[in-house]
């Protein structure tokens, strides 16, 4: 018997997989149906096997979906409507940071400055990215991290906006989300060098806009920050960094945790806020808050809300632009 249906995008590794592991290991796991939406099905099958190895009685299914592809998102949404009559939770977790450019000089300068904690926690001042363009003609980071998820939510309205039902959208954002990197006149960030930061700030804005429009229909949206977590995305920042140097760096990262609780470090700890929101009544949550996964010096994980730097006018302007882009995308032939 299925009591709750949970869709997780980007579920085959990192924080997404840790979330699935923690949900299946919780006291609410009975009657839980997990649907792992992944781009790479080989990795998805490996993730499912690992989850079932630890929880043989679990209900875990797979869905092929690449949020950077309009056709893939539309196809996945149709498949979900055939499989389920509702979705209780949609974790919008898939994300990329392609071709990160790491400023080594700025990094070493930052090590001996008062902003060292902020530098490690957000990458501010040391990280830029070189974005690409998808076959649909969209900026790759924008499409993967934001627009694909927006399109998915729009297509899933029959499953997440039902009379008498409450559903939750939960976005994996970042402390790297900064207003200064985002422009409502350039939502795809074609002209800038921080598409990741722009896309994450846009997800904060979009969550607020969704609450404004959809709360009356029983759909609620929240945003989390996993903290500084060692995942493939983190390792990808320094792709040529030898493994032994990461090993040498870890004691420094553990030391920094003495001064900041944002260094969650492990995917398990980073998923804390995602799991916490699973157990909350969404109508009681603050739509302007970002829920942070935090970890104490002694390794205790907890969740704390912090106000986002967002406003209704900008969130509405972004939503309207995404609606126009959606109409344009559906009018033209979709790349296969």
């Amino acid at each position: 018997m299925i009591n709750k249906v949970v869709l997780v995008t980007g579920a085959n590794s990192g924080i997404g997989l840790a979330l699935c592991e923690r949900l299946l290991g919780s006291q609410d796991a009975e009657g839980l149906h997990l649907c792992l939406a992944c781009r790479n099905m080989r990795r998805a099958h490996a993730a499912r096997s690992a989850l079932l190895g630890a929880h043989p009685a679990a209900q875990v299914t797979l869905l092929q979906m690449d949020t950077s592809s309009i056709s893939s998102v539309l196809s996945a949404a149709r498949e979900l409507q055939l499989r389920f009559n509702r979705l209780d939770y949609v974790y919008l977790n898939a994300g990329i940071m392609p071709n990160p450019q790491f400023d080594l000089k700025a990094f070493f300068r930052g090590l001996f400055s008062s902003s060292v904690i902020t530098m490690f926690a957000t990458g501010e001042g040391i990280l830029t990215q070189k974005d690409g363009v998808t076959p649909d003609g969209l900026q790759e980071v924008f499409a993967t991290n934001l627009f694909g998820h927006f399109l998915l939510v729009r297509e899933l309205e029959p499953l997440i906006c039902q009379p008498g039902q409450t559903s939750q959208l939960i976005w994996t954002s970042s402390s790297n989300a900064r207003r200064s990197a985002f422009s409502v006149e350039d939502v795809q960030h074609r002209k800038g060098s921080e598409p990741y930061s722009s896309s994450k700030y846009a997800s904060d804005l979009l969550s607020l806009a969704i609450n404004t429009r959809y709360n009356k229909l029983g759909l609620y949206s929240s945003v989390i920050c996993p903290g500084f977590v060692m995942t493939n995305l983190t390792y990808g920042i320094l792709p040529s960094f030898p493994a032994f140097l990461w090993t040498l760096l870890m004691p420094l990262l553990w030391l920094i945790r003495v001064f900041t609780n944002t260094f969650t470090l492990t995917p398990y700890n980073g998923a804390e806020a995602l799991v916490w929101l699973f157990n909350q009544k969404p109508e009681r949550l603050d739509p302007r808050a970002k829920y942070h996964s935090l970890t104490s010096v002694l390794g205790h994980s907890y969740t704390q809300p912090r106000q986002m730097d967002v406003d209704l006018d900008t969130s509405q302007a972004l939503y309207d632009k995404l609606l126009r882009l959606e109409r344009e995308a559906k009018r033209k032939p979709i790349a296969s």
Side-chain angles (χ1 to χ4, degrees), residues 86-259:
R86 76 175 196 278
L87 289 173
D88 299 284
Y89 300 85
V90 180
Y91 284 93
L92 304 165
N93 171 72
I96 59 169
M97 184 193 288
N99 307 310
Q101 308 297 304
F102 185 79
D103 190 330
L104 196 58
K105 290 183 179 179
F107 172 74
F108 281 112
R109 284 198 303 270
L111 283 178
F112 304 100
S113 72
S114 59
S115 61
V116 60
I117 304 299
T118 301
M119 180 187 73
F120 270 107
T122 68
E124 186 173 356
I126 59 173
L127 276 182
T128 59
Q129 302 90 45
K130 289 185 178 179
D131 206 354
V133 178
T134 72
D136 296 310
L138 301 173
Q139 294 299 116
E140 186 180 16
V141 176
F142 165 82
T144 306
N145 296 3
L146 185 79
F147 186 66
H149 283 133
F150 170 79
L151 189 58
L152 179 67
V153 170
R154 293 274 297 160
E155 292 296 308
L156 291 181
E157 281 187 19
L159 299 183
I160 56 180
C161 297
Q162 295 185 358
Q165 173 189 320
T166 296
S167 296
Q168 284 183 262
L169 304 176
I170 302 172
W171 300 78
T172 300
S173 183
S174 170
S175 57
N176 191 256
R178 296 193 307 277
R179 180 188 286 266
S180 61
F182 175 81
S183 169
V184 76
E185 302 303 322
D186 181 22
V187 296
Q188 295 196 49
H189 204 73
R190 294 185 188 277
K191 301 175 183 177
S193 60
E194 298 180 273
Y196 181 81
S197 181
S198 174
S199 71
K200 292 302 181 179
Y201 183 76
S203 70
D204 297 352
L205 288 169
L206 183 53
S207 180
L208 179 62
I210 287 172
N211 280 314
T212 303
R213 287 172 171 259
Y214 285 93
N215 281 178
K216 61 182 177 293
L217 299 177
L219 178 63
Y220 295 83
S221 182
S222 298
V223 180
I224 75 103
C225 173
F228 183 85
V229 185
M230 303 305 293
T231 64
N232 289 334
L233 187 148
T234 310
Y235 290 124
I237 293 171
L238 294 171
S240 60
F241 213 47
F244 80 91
L245 287 180
W246 279 116
T247 304
L248 293 175
L249 190 60
M250 284 306 295
L252 173 62
L253 300 181
W254 285 99
L255 177 63
I256 291 175
R257 183 185 278 178
V258 174
F259 304 99

Side-chain angles (χ1 to χ4, degrees), residues 264-321:
T264 50
L265 297 183
T266 68
Y268 181 95
N269 292 342
E272 182 70 22
L274 295 170
V275 177
W276 185 84
L277 284 169
F278 181 83
N279 296 304
Q280 306 307 307
K281 292 186 179 298
E283 58 270 23
R284 297 180 181 176
L285 297 170
D286 183 352
R288 292 178 178 268
K290 181 178 292 186
Y291 292 88
H292 288 250
S293 296
L294 302 171
T295 304
S296 70
V297 176
L298 299 178
H300 170 68
S301 294
Y302 59 102
T303 298
Q304 183 182 87
R306 297 177 180 176
Q307 289 295 297
M308 296 189 291
D309 181 21
V310 293
D311 65 87
L312 281 173
D313 288 344
T314 309
S315 70
Q316 184 59 57
L318 170 64
Y319 194 91
D320 290 342
K321 287 214 165 192

